[in-house]
Amino acid sequence: MSPVKPADIQEPPKQAAYQDPTLPPQPPPYGQVVVTTQPIYITQSQRFHLVPVRTSCKNCHADIVTNIDYRVGLITWIACGAIILLGCIFGCCLFPFCFSASKDAYHTCPNCKEVLGVYKRM
């Protein structure tokens, strides 16, 4: 027998590589272009009301439950004026300034104290 020369050896035909779907995808061969896309997140505006709201802070990016700070607003002044017009002049016109039910609610972050939203009564 004669010795086998490298030119006489035939390589088996190349077949498409089988990729198991449970395995992570393999990187493409050199020279191929890969296009990836980023997901787009659409956020709905947060509605603030009279109760604390669970949200994420826009300033410190923490997941929080808001603190509520009540401040004098337009309804407070209208109620005061209405009480004066009804004839209650013995300090009764100051009652709307004492109760949070007539004030606007400012929602703040407990971590960074940033105002996240306002619920105005009018």
Side-chain angles (χ1 to χ4, degrees):
M1 279 212 294
S2 65
V4 178
K5 296 180 184 174
D8 296 339
I9 299 175
Q10 293 181 355
E11 293 184 22
K14 293 186 178 181
Q15 296 178 353
Y18 171 75
Q19 185 170 351
D20 187 3
T22 59
L23 297 176
Q26 298 296 321
Y30 179 74
Q32 288 186 355
V33 178
V34 177
V35 178
T36 59
T37 59
Q38 292 287 339
I40 298 173
Y41 297 103
I42 299 173
T43 58
Q44 295 180 348
S45 63
Q46 183 74 42
R47 290 194 149 266
F48 296 101
H49 203 57
L50 297 175
V51 294
V53 176
R54 181 176 215 57
T55 186
S56 98
C57 179
K58 299 171 193 169
N59 190 33
C60 66
H61 304 291
D63 186 30
I64 51 114
V65 175
T66 60
N67 288 340
I68 297 180
D69 180 30
Y70 295 100
R71 299 181 191 170
V72 174
L74 182 62
I75 288 293
T76 310
W77 287 104
I78 290 173
C80 176
I83 292 171
I84 289 173
L85 289 176
L86 291 174
C88 298
I89 55 171
F90 298 110
C92 296
C93 62
L94 299 178
F95 284 158
F97 296 98
C98 298
F99 300 111
S100 61
S102 64
K103 297 180 181 179
D104 295 337
Y106 284 74
H107 291 260
T108 59
C109 175
N111 297 334
C112 64
K113 309 299 185 228
E114 181 76 19
V115 175
L116 301 175
V118 178
Y119 173 71
K120 293 191 178 261
R121 297 194 186 268
M122 181 179 264

